[in-house]
Amino acid sequence: MSRLSSGGFIDRSRIVKFSFDGKSYSGHPGDTLASALIANDVKLVGRSFKYHRPRGILTAGSEEPNALVSLRKGARHEPNTRATMVELFDGLEAFPQNVTPSLSFDVMAVNQLISRFIGAGFYYKTFMWPASFWEKLYEPIVRGSAGLGTTPNVPDPDHYEKASAFCDVLVIGAGPTGLMAALTAARSGARVILADEDYLIGGRLNSEKVTIGDRDGAQFSAAVAAELVAMPNVKVMSRTTVFGVYDDSYGAVERVSDHLAVPAPYQPRQRLWRIAAKHTVLAAGAIDRPIVFDGNDRPGIMLAQGVQTYINRFAAAPARRMAFFTSSDGAWVAAFDAADAGVEIAAIVDARRTVADRLLAEARRRNIRTLLGGAVTAAHGSPLKSVDVVADGKRERLAVDGLAMSGGYSPNVQLACHHRGRPQWHPEIGALLATDPPPRMKLAGAANGSYALSACLADGAAQGAEAAVAAGFAAKTVALPRCQDDPVEVQAYWHVKDTAHFAFVDFQTDVSVKDIEIAAKEGFIPVEHLKRYTALGMGADQGKLSNFNGLAIMADITGRSIPEAGTTIYRPPYTPVSMGALTGHHRAKDFRPTRLTPTHFWAKRLGAKFVETGMWLRAQYFPRPGDKDWLATVQREVTAVRSSVGMIDVSTFGKIDLQGPDVGKLLDRVYVNTYSTLPVGKARYGVMLREDGMVMDDGTTAHLSDDHWVMTTTTVNAVKVFSHLEFCLQVLWPDLDVRMASISEQWAQIALAGPNARKVLEKIVDDPAAVANEALPVMGAKEAKLMGGIAGRVFRLSFSGELGFEVAVPARHGEKLAEAMMAAGKEFGITPYGTEALAMMRIEKGHVSGPELNGQTTVADLGLGKMASKKKDYIGRVLFERPDLTDENRLGYVGIVPVDKRNVLRAGTHLMPLGAAVAVANDHGFVSSATQSPTFGHAVGVGFLAGGAKRIGEKMRAYDPLRGGDFEVEICSPYFYDPQGERTRV
Amino acid sequence: MLIPCPYCGARDSHEFTYRGAAVGPRPDPARPDAADAFHDYVYLRDNPAGDNAEYWYHGAGCRSWLKVVRDTTTHEIKSVTGAGGEVKP
């Protein structure tokens, strides 16, 4: 056991059992999976992506590139979690990834032997030829070796939420800088959100031994966090990663239940936050950079900050005997902490020739050997057994089982680059800093290159105050606590020259120095090319640890400075975000809302089958015992309507209430036909165009009283037509005096159709005389009292081709209306019908619908050209008159019947001249809608044919390769049923 | 993205739908070159990298059509007005 006997922020009174790679271990509450593995002496945690090299834990943070593990089994299985971010819970099962077949023995490690052949650009060079090898050989190889981990193949049982938050000041990162920024802004009265990815507030204060005022770092952060939590204007969000900066908002994910085996009842697994902040302080800290040397990826090699965190925060020693390899003062302090915890320090190797006397004195006091101007040139063993060190020309091998490294700090500027601000090189601290952050974001503390604790506290307080003032608050000064600073000098150091093959730059994508040399040799020199050619920085860590070293090495190779070599920017997300969180509740049936018609439950009681039409759930047909299949049901419904009476809910049509003296004028301008002359008490069918001359929508509009009209639109275009009318009224013709409101949801509307429709209607309206043939003629519209005083509307409209009425009542009476119609129609055998019978009858009747109003048809194409007024302007008129849109050989509306009446006609079937070969050149048109008509006893269809009605009587070949149809059809008028409309007038 | 609606204040862009560049006025259909004028009105659009005047509809709010000047490279919103002058109260 490498658990230290004391210290750390773990609850030693409780034991947490977990397993990794099938073996059982124990840890304590407060541990991460990584710290518990270290405490259990587990050094090997995974295999690398390309070469299957054994890898250990490199860091203690979200930048971890190596320790990617899968968690849990079954539906909650989750690949690619970073062991450094996984809070330990009882019963946690974790598994290594990319191991074939096992972590300790991996056959794919043979890739290391052929590594000289599978370096950068390998895919592009190898899988080029012969082309026939691609599908059978290359693609399976590439797919088989790509990706890490596996996704579960059963649905996620947990749910995810989305939420919004608003604040004056958003502080990202709850280390010393962020705590002071939040405290200062909060005491000034600003609404503050403090977000941190960790579950323990304090950042590096929990990892370093510091004194602030009269408290240690952890006590200080706990006290500030407690004050913040108690303030009503502050929201402290731990376990929350701000992952992206968008336009005027931040994306964040809160891991509500990731630290539990199963979320608590009614709790989500994760919550996606959209945070709108007036001002932001980015206090995300800085992370150690690895040094590139031969074997720098061996298990047992760790970044110095990580070593310090495991020792101080988790009381887990990563090794018994360690060397430190650095060019940064911070690693010396980490070495002192390790030594004080009982780890034997073989040497501190510093690339710098001089370091602060303070550090040398501290090292001497602990009898730690120091090698200045030195380097580690190679590491051996897996796990690590020794390192080769060179200093002052002397080489030696140190027997160690741990090595800590730090080539300086990389400030966490990622979020500051999300608006394309490119970080700039600052040689004085050897780091890239964000100089062009997104609007209203300021960086502070280590994220901005200020590493000393006192500077972080002061910078945080200053930026917190500035943000509060910018948000309109008077800043309250917060007394800065005294503290003693550890030395923080750094010199950027990234590459031990003349290293052999396995000197890794990017641990996650297995990019080595050799790969960068290949890229340079082959001309992929600009940093964006380097990245794509080698996959540098393209892992899930987005190159947090590798981008700088990669571009610095490329700069060395090409003899340029770092600014000349260029820098890359970062994009969201800062760390990977689960698809579940992004999806939230919007999955499966909850992907979008379901709209129910006013008669939905009535139809359900009658056993209706439903169909989704857009968001609506509509009754599709009403099966009865004895119906052979759905087609028999639908044909029975149609026959019932044609012979007696049927009813259907048509509430889903868009309904728009229009009022004002200029409604007629508006309608004249949006419809091709004229409305201003339509008398009160009448309705008219109209077609409206887009300005490009194509048909947009159709429907009927009724004139109810002088200044009052009600328009219907098709179901799918209800929203579009409404906003179109708003555009017309507000932008095109603001002088028109018209008010409008959508009443689609407010009115239930049921169509009654069939020879007995009036007899049913008479029993529902309070005054039967009002619906007599003369009182309510074809296309008549009037307000009427129904079912004992309910104010409704009755329209004499027919979509079926039979005598028809549409009855509208306030939506709350919809079900009552349906019941009343059923009762009144009982003696006539009234039959409820659904959308299938509706469609069947409209095809028999030749009415155009969705498949015909497809956005590519003109009013003339639809056979409705005569409706278009020549006497007035309307939207779309000018462009509708373009020569190509009035060409008489355009696809025009026709009817189609099979010559052999046994054939089934299907929508989508192509129309070709008889005997013509199957070729695009012979494609003259297509069937847009077809049905098995019970009225005619055979298939009837409508569609579009070049030349249109001119070709009525012609025989053609109907070719449907998808469903195997190929037979002769005759072109006819599309108005199959009662073309003169006599049945509607009785 | 927040759009400062003149009637509702700053609102999230999810409440709005985008129509396209704010071209116009609609040409006079009686002018002799009406076909050409309508062709340009319907189809011709600049594609500026920078300020672009656009129509946005506040469909999930006050239902106003707005003319928004937006920098297409930064999404910074430079101005917002009612698209056809003032909306009647």
Side-chain angles (χ1 to χ4, degrees):
Chain A
M1 279 291 280
S2 296
R3 184 73 77 186
L4 302 172
S5 56
S6 66
F9 308 114
I10 50 171
D11 179 2
R12 290 172 194 262
S13 68
R14 289 197 289 146
I15 301 287
V16 173
K17 298 270 189 206
F18 70 102
S19 76
F20 176 70
D21 198 17
K23 296 191 195 71
S24 296
Y25 300 100
S26 59
H28 298 293
D31 263 325
T32 61
L33 175 60
S35 72
L37 289 170
I38 286 170
N40 283 283
D41 293 328
V42 177
K43 299 246 172 173
L44 179 57
V45 295
R47 289 271 171 175
S48 71
F49 177 60
K50 188 160 152 190
Y51 300 122
H52 289 244
R53 303 250 308 171
R55 293 278 166 84
I57 295 161
L58 184 67
T59 73
S62 61
E63 68 274 23
E64 175 64 34
N66 283 346
L68 301 181
V69 299
S70 298
L71 300 183
R72 303 176 166 98
K73 277 185 183 156
R76 288 194 171 86
H77 178 80
E78 183 187 4
N80 295 322
T81 63
R82 288 146 294 159
T84 51
M85 299 300 287
V86 174
E87 281 177 68
L88 205 61
F89 58 83
D90 206 42
L92 174 67
E93 293 178 287
F95 308 91
Q97 297 184 163
N98 218 30
V99 294
T100 45
S102 74
L103 185 54
S104 53
F105 175 75
D106 189 318
V107 292
M108 291 293 277
V110 71
N111 278 3
Q112 293 174 65
L113 302 179
I114 57 162
S115 63
R116 66 177 68 248
F117 305 111
I118 59 173
F122 157 68
Y123 293 104
Y124 308 117
K125 293 167 191 164
T126 309
F127 295 129
M128 290 290 288
W129 44 260
S132 60
F133 276 31
W134 176 254
E135 207 167 291
K136 292 226 155 45
L137 182 64
Y138 295 151
E139 190 177 327
I141 293 176
V142 174
R143 289 200 185 279
S145 44
L148 285 172
T150 53
T151 49
N153 54 8
V154 284
D156 189 337
D158 296 329
H159 67 102
Y160 298 79
E161 283 182 358
K162 292 186 184 183
S164 297
F166 304 85
C167 62
D168 298 306
V169 180
L170 169 65
V171 180
I172 302 168
T177 309
L179 284 170
M180 286 306 287
L183 189 64
T184 313
R187 284 189 185 165
S188 306
R191 292 173 304 159
V192 174
I193 290 176
L194 174 63
D196 194 285
E197 60 182 356
D198 206 331
Y199 52 92
L200 189 61
I201 294 294
R204 292 294 297 168
L205 292 175
N206 296 315
S207 298
E208 296 175 12
K209 289 182 173 169
V210 296
T211 305
I212 301 175
D214 51 3
R215 293 177 288 202
D216 69 26
Q219 288 167 338
F220 172 80
S221 61
V224 175
E227 179 179 344
L228 289 171
V229 167
M231 293 170 86
N233 54 329
V234 180
K235 186 175 173 70
V236 177
M237 301 176 76
S238 58
R239 296 188 178 103
T240 302
T241 303
V242 177
F243 62 78
V245 185
Y246 301 94
D247 296 312
D248 299 313
S249 73
Y250 289 76
V253 65
E254 180 185 7
R255 289 171 292 277
V256 181
S257 308
D258 278 7
H259 61 295
L260 305 170
V262 174
Y266 308 108
Q267 285 298 305
R269 176 77 181 270
Q270 297 180 347
R271 192 176 282 131
L272 186 78
W273 286 92
R274 165 195 290 265
I275 301 174
K278 285 185 186 149
H279 293 271
T280 301
V281 179
L282 179 61
I287 53 173
D288 268 338
R289 271 202 302 264
I291 300 172
V292 182
F293 60 91
D294 191 30
N296 63 341
D297 64 327
R298 292 187 178 276
I301 300 178
M302 205 178 263
L303 291 171
Q305 278 183 332
V307 171
Q308 197 174 20
T309 297
Y310 288 117
I311 287 174
N312 291 332
R313 175 171 169 181
F314 298 108
R320 284 172 172 73
R321 187 166 197 266
M322 296 190 76
F324 279 70
F325 179 23
T326 186
S327 61
S328 160
D329 290 356
W332 288 67
V333 179
F336 302 151
D337 289 354
D340 296 347
V343 177
E344 189 186 340
I345 306 299
I348 299 175
V349 183
D350 199 309
R352 297 172 294 182
R353 299 233 156 252
T354 55
V355 298
D357 289 340
R358 252 171 88 191
L359 293 173
L360 293 169
E362 286 287 321
R364 269 196 304 277
R365 192 166 70 75
R366 293 174 173 86
N367 285 321
I368 296 174
R369 187 180 168 204
T370 56
L371 294 165
L372 299 188
V376 172
T377 55
H380 308 284
S382 178
L384 187 69
K385 291 191 172 59
S386 63
V387 293
D388 293 344
V389 172
V390 61
D392 295 328
K394 278 181 292 195
R395 291 182 175 276
E396 66 175 301
R397 183 165 288 190
L398 301 176
V400 291
D401 64 340
L403 175 73
M405 59 181 171
S406 169
Y409 295 115
S410 284
N412 283 324
V413 299
Q414 289 84 355
L415 289 170
C417 299
H418 283 184
H419 280 208
R420 298 194 69 78
R422 203 165 280 274
Q424 302 287 324
W425 171 242
H426 285 251
E428 71 283 5
I429 54 165
L432 298 169
L433 292 180
T435 44
D436 185 20
R440 301 183 302 285
M441 177 197 278
K442 292 281 179 61
L443 292 94
N448 205 29
S450 299
Y451 302 137
L453 179 58
S454 61
C456 288
L457 295 170
D459 199 16
Q463 296 294 353
E466 199 176 298
V469 169
F473 296 86
K476 285 228 175 78
T477 48
V478 172
L480 285 173
R482 275 175 303 125
C483 65
Q484 192 170 11
D485 288 331
D486 287 326
V488 290
E489 289 300 311
V490 288
Q491 179 188 318
Y493 179 76
W494 51 86
H495 183 201
V496 180
K497 300 287 187 305
D498 304 320
T499 49
H501 199 78
F502 287 116
F504 283 94
V505 179
D506 192 316
F507 295 94
Q508 199 169 88
T509 56
D510 267 357
V511 175
S512 71
V513 175
K514 283 281 186 280
D515 294 317
I516 296 176
E517 287 170 355
I518 292 171
K521 207 186 304 173
E522 299 186 352
F524 294 90
I525 292 167
V527 63
E528 299 289 355
H529 292 176
L530 166 68
K531 185 173 165 180
R532 280 150 187 84
Y533 198 58
T534 61
L536 172 78
M538 293 178 75
D541 61 347
Q542 268 199 71
K544 291 189 180 68
L545 298 176
S546 62
N547 275 356
F548 177 84
N549 286 349
L551 72 90
I553 290 170
M554 180 58 95
D556 290 346
I557 292 171
T558 54
R560 295 175 303 164
S561 67
I562 285 171
E564 284 168 342
T567 56
T568 58
I569 59 166
Y570 298 88
R571 297 179 179 84
Y574 174 66
T575 51
V577 180
S578 70
M579 296 305 286
L582 295 173
T583 308
H585 289 297
H586 301 275
R587 60 181 209 180
K589 286 299 287 177
D590 297 327
F591 178 71
R592 61 182 181 186
T594 302
R595 299 175 77 178
L596 301 181
T597 65
T599 61
H600 177 82
F601 296 100
W602 165 82
K604 204 173 171 182
R605 285 197 298 276
L606 289 176
K609 295 281 180 252
F610 293 94
V611 61
E612 287 180 17
T613 58
M615 287 188 199
W616 289 102
L617 210 52
R618 296 186 71 182
Q620 189 176 16
Y621 51 90
F622 294 77
R624 281 186 191 163
D627 287 345
K628 185 163 69 79
D629 55 13
W630 73 269
L631 184 60
T633 299
V634 175
Q635 291 179 334
R636 173 180 53 71
E637 291 170 9
V638 169
T639 304
V641 173
R642 298 249 183 265
S643 60
S644 180
V645 64
M647 57 183 278
I648 181 171
D649 188 320
V650 291
S651 308
T652 63
F653 289 157
K655 300 185 275 300
I656 300 171
D657 197 79
L658 295 156
Q659 299 192 34
D662 293 332
V663 176
K665 267 190 210 164
L666 172 72
L667 297 175
D668 282 352
R669 294 178 192 184
V670 297
Y671 279 121
V672 300
N673 44 336
T674 304
Y675 275 84
S676 49
T677 54
L678 184 71
V680 169
K682 291 284 272 186
R684 181 167 285 170
Y685 172 75
V687 175
M688 62 175 73
L689 309 188
R690 308 188 306 224
E691 194 67 274
D692 69 357
M694 298 297 176
V695 171
M696 177 160 84
D697 197 57
D698 70 347
T700 54
T701 298
H703 198 172
L704 293 179
S705 64
D706 274 352
D707 286 356
H708 190 191
W709 304 61
V710 60
M711 173 189 286
T712 60
T713 74
T714 59
T715 301
V716 286
N717 285 330
V719 173
K720 190 160 100 180
V721 169
F722 189 77
S723 85
H724 172 67
L725 295 181
E726 291 272 27
F727 185 82
C728 293
L729 286 172
Q730 292 180 35
V731 182
L732 299 183
W733 308 300
D735 53 310
L736 291 185
D737 191 358
V738 176
R739 295 292 188 283
M740 54 184 279
S742 166
I743 53 167
S744 301
E745 302 271 357
Q746 283 73 20
W747 286 81
Q749 198 149 320
I750 300 180
L752 266 178
N756 288 319
R758 188 182 291 109
K759 290 179 194 148
V760 177
L761 183 62
E762 281 168 349
K763 292 162 77 174
I764 295 169
V765 292
D766 294 353
D767 174 17
V771 297
N773 195 20
E774 304 72 31
L776 184 63
V778 172
M779 300 306 281
K782 61 168 58 168
E783 296 181 311
K785 292 274 186 348
L786 300 110
M787 300 181 289
I790 296 172
R793 294 163 184 170
V794 181
F795 309 91
R796 187 165 167 191
L797 305 171
S798 172
F799 197 53
S800 60
E802 302 298 335
L803 171 66
F805 300 90
E806 290 185 12
V807 182
V809 292
R812 66 184 179 281
H813 299 303
E815 191 166 312
K816 184 176 177 184
L817 176 63
E819 301 276 16
M821 284 182 177
M822 283 298 276
K826 196 171 178 194
E827 61 178 295
F828 309 105
I830 191 166
T831 301
Y833 63 99
T835 55
E836 289 294 335
L838 180 81
M840 200 173 259
M841 287 188 280
R842 75 96 186 161
I843 296 170
E844 289 178 345
K845 186 68 188 155
H847 287 312
V848 293
S849 187
E852 288 75 41
L853 307 180
N854 61 13
Q856 302 178 352
T857 45
T858 67
V859 65
D861 296 342
L862 295 170
L864 301 170
K866 288 199 183 114
M867 281 176 64
S869 168
K870 302 273 184 206
K871 297 183 196 143
K872 59 163 185 135
D873 180 50
Y874 53 86
I875 286 181
R877 183 187 66 85
V878 172
L879 293 188
F880 164 50
E881 288 169 359
R882 281 181 286 178
D884 276 10
L885 297 195
T886 48
D887 185 337
E888 58 176 13
N889 289 319
R890 275 178 67 82
L891 292 174
Y893 190 53
V894 294
I896 303 124
V897 287
V899 172
D900 178 343
K901 298 289 188 285
R902 289 169 300 180
N903 281 317
V904 175
L905 194 60
R906 291 191 165 94
T909 296
H910 295 264
L911 299 173
M912 301 177 181
L914 276 184
V918 173
V920 172
N922 292 331
D923 193 2
H924 286 203
F926 62 96
V927 178
S928 55
S929 305
T931 192
Q932 285 298 106
S933 163
T935 310
F936 297 98
H938 59 77
V940 297
V942 294
F944 296 95
L945 181 62
K950 283 195 300 192
R951 299 178 70 175
I952 285 173
E954 197 173 321
K955 299 255 178 32
M956 300 202 72
R957 177 179 180 184
Y959 182 65
D960 177 17
L962 273 183
R963 290 153 297 192
D966 191 357
F967 50 84
E968 206 174 311
V969 291
E970 183 176 339
I971 304 306
C972 58
S973 159
Y975 312 112
F976 298 95
Y977 185 73
D978 185 25
Q980 303 306 318
E982 284 153 8
R983 294 179 68 86
T984 63
R985 294 196 198 103
V986 291
Chain B
M1 191 163 82
L2 298 180
I3 297 177
C5 174
Y7 307 100
C8 309
R11 309 295 303 176
D12 194 275
S13 59
H14 281 75
E15 295 183 4
F16 299 79
T17 44
Y18 177 71
R19 178 181 169 106
V23 292
R26 185 173 184 265
D28 177 0
R31 60 194 260 191
D33 62 343
D36 287 342
F38 268 91
H39 172 274
D40 293 358
Y41 171 67
V42 170
Y43 294 111
L44 281 197
R45 295 291 182 271
D46 294 330
N47 185 20
D51 287 356
N52 195 32
E54 303 164 339
Y55 285 133
W56 289 78
Y57 177 55
H58 197 186
C62 61
R63 293 176 12 204
S64 298
W65 276 96
L66 303 173
K67 188 185 269 185
V68 175
V69 177
R70 178 181 64 108
D71 185 328
T72 57
T73 61
T74 62
H75 292 184
E76 188 193 342
I77 290 182
K78 304 285 179 66
S79 72
V80 182
T81 53
E86 289 304 299
V87 170
K88 285 163 276 185

